[in-house]
Amino acid sequence: GGAGSIGSELVRQLAQNNKIIVLDIDETRMFDLVEELRLEGKDVNGYVIDVCDKESLERVFCEGSYPDIVINAAARKHVTPMEDTPMEAVHVNIGGTYNAICLCKKYKSKLIHISTDKVVASDCIMGATKKVAEIMVRNAGYTSVRFGNVLGSRGSFLPIVQKRIEENKSIPITDERMERYWMTIQEAVTLIIEAIVDGLEGVVYTLDMGKPIKVIDIAKRIIEDVRKETGKEIPIEFIGIRPGEKLSEKLMTEEEKENSIKKNRFWILYAEKGKREIMQ
């Protein structure tokens, strides 16, 4: 997932002082990112790879020196489409993660896995498959970082709203009670780098994002900004909760809260209280 919204920003930052290999199934985005950084003199290579193709993935591990750190940002991340195509979520989110774990074990690489708050009390296919992936990563002794909704990432709320405004269309809101935890792409990247630097294994990192914010409140702020700037009146359209969606999400379970410690703006979640006390 190195050419995705979060992956590409992470690659740009890490490429300043590291050799980077970018893997992505999206040929054009991967090519554009690698060419951009090569023109800046960075040591970056790219491969069009499906994380579910273990044989092709292993060839990348075998070329030159083995990677010190593998960051798995490849995923099926949208809730509603995965309700309709559940085996695709199983194939990528579970199968792809399993491939990454196996190869990291074989070639002695560290693994940082990107997870989501949808794993907490998950009752949608996407969340359930990401939960299985998170458990596999933890049990293998590797690290996960758990995100909330990432502002500005591909397919997220803000790009959709921007496009609707440009087209003079209404802003779709599922339910006025819908609320989410929000973080920026920069905060997501910082969380990943924090997990790398810390070097703790078998834990989950998540960002302290404060209180959840209603989606409609964000929409109203955008509408007000547009009104002040252009005089346009942008309506809101309520479309109803879609399959797999919940009105609210949580960052961690009650048990995880008991087995966690706070470090700066981050929470570190341990599988067991005893392990947390040992690590402290």
Side-chain angles (χ1 to χ4, degrees), residues 13-190:
Q13 291 196 27
L14 293 178
Q16 301 307 311
N17 298 296
N18 300 278
K19 178 179 180 179
I20 303 293
I21 301 172
V22 182
L23 310 182
D24 205 287
I25 199 169
D26 189 323
E27 174 193 5
T28 301
R29 286 180 182 270
M30 184 279 293
F31 175 79
D32 290 345
L33 176 62
V34 170
E35 287 302 297
E36 169 198 324
L37 292 170
R38 280 180 172 173
L39 289 172
E40 295 176 5
K42 308 305 180 188
D43 189 354
V44 178
N45 290 306
Y47 299 89
V48 180
I49 293 287
D50 183 346
V51 71
C52 299
D53 184 347
K54 188 177 180 181
E55 183 177 331
S56 295
L57 198 59
E58 184 162 18
R59 282 201 295 270
V60 177
F61 273 75
C62 293
E63 287 194 8
S65 57
Y66 306 143
D68 297 305
I69 299 169
V70 174
I71 299 167
N72 179 31
R76 295 296 182 216
K77 67 173 187 175
H78 294 293
V79 171
T80 302
M82 293 303 102
E83 294 297 302
D84 297 326
T85 55
M87 289 310 298
E88 183 65 19
V90 171
H91 190 51
V92 177
N93 294 349
I94 297 177
T97 302
Y98 179 73
N99 288 342
I101 290 170
C102 290
L103 291 173
C104 285
K105 285 288 185 184
K106 183 174 180 178
Y107 295 102
K108 312 300 182 187
S109 303
K110 290 187 177 181
L111 175 65
I112 306 291
H113 170 72
I114 309 305
S115 189
T116 168
D117 59 3
K118 304 293 188 296
V119 305
V120 183
S122 57
D123 55 5
C124 66
I125 297 298
M126 189 278 275
T129 54
K130 292 293 284 184
K131 178 63 176 178
V132 172
E134 195 179 276
I135 292 170
M136 289 194 302
V137 169
R138 182 195 67 204
N139 289 352
Y142 296 124
T143 304
S144 291
V145 292
R146 191 182 290 173
F147 291 165
N149 280 37
V150 181
L151 289 163
S153 62
R154 247 191 300 171
S156 65
F157 183 63
L158 287 187
I160 291 172
V161 168
Q162 184 177 3
K163 188 172 187 295
R164 299 282 293 187
I165 290 173
E166 290 171 354
E167 296 172 348
N168 292 313
K169 295 179 180 179
S170 62
I171 294 178
I173 301 291
T174 52
D175 190 291
E176 63 181 350
R177 299 166 293 171
M178 185 78 71
E179 61 181 11
R180 292 291 184 265
Y181 287 98
W182 303 90
M183 62 195 301
T184 64
I185 290 177
Q186 182 55 54
E187 286 174 325
V189 169
T190 301

